[in-house]
Amino acid sequence: PSRAFWTCFALETVVIPSSVTDIGYEAFDGCKSLKSIVIPDSVTSIGEAAFARCSALTSIIIPDSVTFIGECAFYGCSKLVSVRLPNNITTIQRATFHSCHELASITLPDSVESIEKEAFHGCILLKSIEILKNFVD
């Protein structure tokens, strides 16, 4: 559901059960102590701003079952160092990783067809983006 754990400031760890298929709008937005999260293969969608402002989150593995990640999903995750994107994602939405100051590198799977405005805005340590798709015909 939307805003399920919105601004639960003391929340540090989350294990999502396999019965969950969608992480809703702003579900964990503002959980500033959230350090780790396990997303099961049952999840197919991560909503807009789902993990925004989770400033203690350092890494996240998104399973290949996820086909949609909403705008601003990781906005302001300032300590996010690494992300594994799913192989089925087609679009990096607007401001998905905006202000992820510690993000140094990311690999975009070959399923990615578009990267929207400000997707990596403010990623001041981003030195490497590996794009697996060959855009040349």
Side-chain angles (χ1 to χ4, degrees), residues 53-103:
R53 301 178 302 132
C54 292
S55 55
L57 191 64
T58 58
S59 68
I60 189 163
I61 296 173
I62 304 168
D64 286 336
S65 58
V66 174
T67 58
F68 177 80
I69 300 172
E71 292 183 0
C72 304
F74 301 99
Y75 183 101
C77 293
S78 56
K79 291 193 172 117
L80 189 64
V81 173
S82 67
V83 178
R84 183 205 171 274
L85 289 173
N87 286 323
N88 298 315
I89 202 79
T90 58
T91 302
I92 307 297
Q93 300 286 337
R94 183 186 66 80
T96 299
F97 298 102
H98 192 296
S99 299
C100 292
H101 303 302
E102 299 291 323
L103 188 62

Side-chain angles (χ1 to χ4, degrees), residues 46 51 88 135:
I46 297 174
F51 298 98
N88 298 315
F135 288 101

Side-chain angles (χ1 to χ4, degrees), residues 6-62:
W6 186 62
T7 65
C8 289
F9 298 129
L11 185 65
E12 292 183 12
T13 304
V14 174
V15 177
I16 297 172
S18 60
S19 58
V20 173
T21 58
D22 298 303
I23 298 172
Y25 169 79
E26 295 182 346
F28 297 94
D29 183 6
C31 294
K32 65 182 183 178
S33 298
L34 183 62
K35 295 176 183 171
S36 67
I37 186 157
V38 175
I39 299 175
D41 289 337
S42 59
V43 173
T44 58
S45 175
I46 297 174
E48 184 176 323
F51 298 98
R53 301 178 302 132
C54 292
S55 55
L57 191 64
T58 58
S59 68
I60 189 163
I61 296 173
I62 304 168

Side-chain angles (χ1 to χ4, degrees), residues 64 85-92 107-114 130-135:
D64 286 336
L85 289 173
N87 286 323
N88 298 315
I89 202 79
T90 58
T91 302
I92 307 297
T107 299
L108 303 181
D110 62 3
S111 58
V112 172
E113 296 173 359
S114 65
E130 184 177 358
I131 302 172
L132 298 178
K133 186 173 191 100
N134 183 359
F135 288 101

